[in-house]
Amino acid sequence: MPLLSHTLALTALGREDLARTVSSAYGVLHGARFGEDGRLLLPSEEESRRLEHRARELGLLLTEEERAAYGRRVGDPLDGAKVTGAPAGSTEREVTAQDLADEVVVSEAELSLRLLSGEHLAPGSTYLATEVDPQGRPVFAPDGEGWVGTDLTVASWDESGVCSVDFAMREDAGTGGATENGAEGGEGAPSTTGTVVHDHAEETLTLEADLRFPVESAMARWGSRLLRARVRVRVDLPGWFAAADGTATAPPVTLEVDHRLVRARGQAVPAPGPDGTWSVSGQLDVRGVGLSRPIVAVAAWAMGRSLRRSEQWSVESGTARFQEGWDDVARALPSVPGFLDDVARTYARARPDDRPRTPDL
């Protein structure tokens, strides 16, 4: 039996709208231009504000009022520290305050993309994606802890066939300098590597990733298999719409997670709902591997019980927020291709002097 299962009533999306959105998204990639130093050329501040305003109108970005309302729902994370009676200078409060400060910085950050080698979108070309603050400085410096960037490599690019991109997250300074095989003192291995594959003809999207968690404990040193997991997600668009029309098919959305101690399998299957909606059933089955089976079973039971009793989070509240966001996307979807076409034209017109340079990593 699945450990967790839930059914959502979701607004149906138009298949043609989705197809046009995917096509327009590729148009944005084609519209990107890079300067002599390899950096992505950004539109002027005025053009960027115009695009941002349009995205907020479509509901693709939160308005200031919505962000404030979300903050009120989440509440002040420092309240919990006050209730426990922790003194003002305690480590708990300091860590919480630093986490909040980091969240503010990340929320204000902008994506920075740099072409490192090759021709744009040509097989073998490499890029570095990172985040910079409003002054153009990297949010996470290479000599500090945290995500410092993701290397992207175009493995294949055929828009009538398969487009595949490999990614590798650059390691921070907090992993102890472990190498790929776990030895100390070498160049740090990426914390997460993987591949995203879009098959145009089959209309499928697949993500495969090897996760390496940048933490250590008494039970697991950096490089240990206990700090690794393999993840695979696959979306089959024709299968989704066939199931949504009432045709029996294999699950069109699947999730696989393999860890040395835990194995998880998830799926989502739509079915015709009332008034043209989708009735989407989701299932997640989590099981221990070998001797860890009873431990995982007890932990899963305890976590489920904790979630059910939680006052700050519940399946109902999480579902309501997800459905609200989905409805926003459903309403905006017919207009999204036109918006993306505008983004593509705007980036294609960008000039080197439209925005200031960002520092080197």
Side-chain angles (χ1 to χ4, degrees):
M1 294 293 291
L3 175 65
L4 296 173
S5 63
H6 199 74
T7 300
L8 299 175
L10 299 179
T11 303
L13 305 181
R15 187 169 183 177
E16 183 61 30
D17 291 331
L18 282 174
R20 292 193 302 116
T21 297
V22 171
S23 177
S24 295
Y26 274 96
V28 173
L29 297 178
H30 280 291
R33 297 290 182 268
F34 295 83
E36 294 181 357
D37 56 4
R39 291 179 175 82
L40 175 67
L41 299 181
L42 300 177
S44 66
E45 294 284 358
E46 181 180 357
E47 286 285 77
S48 296
R49 285 194 296 269
R50 180 183 64 80
L51 292 176
E52 182 176 337
H53 178 72
R54 179 56 179 155
R56 293 189 191 282
E57 287 182 335
L58 293 175
L60 303 178
L61 294 177
L62 293 178
T63 64
E64 294 300 326
E65 294 77 10
E66 289 171 333
R67 293 180 63 181
Y70 175 78
R72 289 192 295 271
R73 285 201 305 266
V74 173
D76 183 3
L78 289 177
D79 287 345
K82 296 175 183 177
V83 173
T84 62
S90 71
T91 301
E92 179 184 358
R93 289 185 58 84
E94 291 173 352
V95 170
T96 303
Q98 184 59 53
D99 288 344
L100 290 174
D102 289 343
E103 287 181 11
V104 172
V105 172
V106 171
S107 68
E108 297 177 348
E110 294 183 354
L111 178 67
S112 175
L113 184 64
R114 184 175 181 182
L115 177 62
L116 300 180
S117 65
E119 296 294 328
H120 180 44
L121 297 182
S125 59
T126 61
Y127 305 79
L128 173 63
T130 187
E131 288 184 329
V132 295
D133 64 18
Q135 287 72 45
R137 298 170 301 199
V139 171
F140 296 107
D143 57 350
E145 295 187 14
W147 176 72
V148 298
T150 298
D151 289 294
L152 305 171
T153 302
V154 177
S156 64
W157 199 268
D158 179 1
E159 293 183 26
S160 62
V162 175
C163 291
S164 176
V165 176
D166 299 330
F167 62 89
M169 295 177 64
R170 291 195 178 188
E171 193 47 73
D172 58 28
T175 61
T179 60
E180 179 72 26
N181 60 11
E184 297 292 331
E187 182 180 352
S191 60
T192 295
T193 60
T195 302
V196 179
V197 180
H198 180 218
D199 190 320
H200 292 257
E202 299 293 332
E203 294 185 272
T204 60
L205 182 69
T206 305
L207 165 67
E208 295 185 350
D210 286 309
L211 306 182
R212 292 177 174 84
F213 305 103
V215 296
E216 292 182 304
S217 69
M219 296 179 59
R221 294 177 61 82
W222 174 252
S224 167
R225 292 183 180 180
L226 295 177
L227 299 178
R228 298 184 180 187
R230 178 73 175 172
V231 177
R232 186 176 191 271
V233 180
R234 186 173 188 272
V235 179
D236 177 359
L237 198 59
W240 179 276
F241 279 96
D245 288 337
T247 303
T249 66
V253 178
T254 56
L255 165 69
E256 301 174 9
V257 180
D258 290 296
H259 182 267
R260 190 172 183 179
L261 301 179
V262 181
R263 180 175 63 248
R265 297 292 183 266
Q267 64 182 46
V269 181
D275 301 323
T277 61
W278 288 338
S279 178
V280 181
S281 299
Q283 297 180 347
L284 179 64
D285 185 5
V286 182
R287 299 178 185 272
V289 177
L291 297 177
S292 69
R293 288 181 179 178
I295 300 175
V296 172
V298 172
W301 174 84
M303 182 175 66
R305 181 178 175 85
S306 175
L307 289 175
R308 286 192 296 269
R309 299 179 63 182
S310 173
E311 296 180 359
Q312 295 183 341
W313 190 92
S314 67
V315 173
E316 290 75 15
S317 63
T319 297
R321 285 196 292 270
F322 178 83
Q323 289 179 311
E324 181 181 349
W326 181 279
D327 288 342
D328 289 340
V329 172
R331 284 192 295 269
L333 187 60
S335 301
V336 169
F339 170 70
L340 293 178
D341 292 342
D342 186 12
V343 172
R345 291 190 296 269
T346 302
Y347 270 79
R349 294 194 302 264
R351 298 172 300 178
D353 56 349
D354 282 342
R355 296 283 287 273
R357 288 187 49 162
T358 56
D360 291 322
L361 273 177

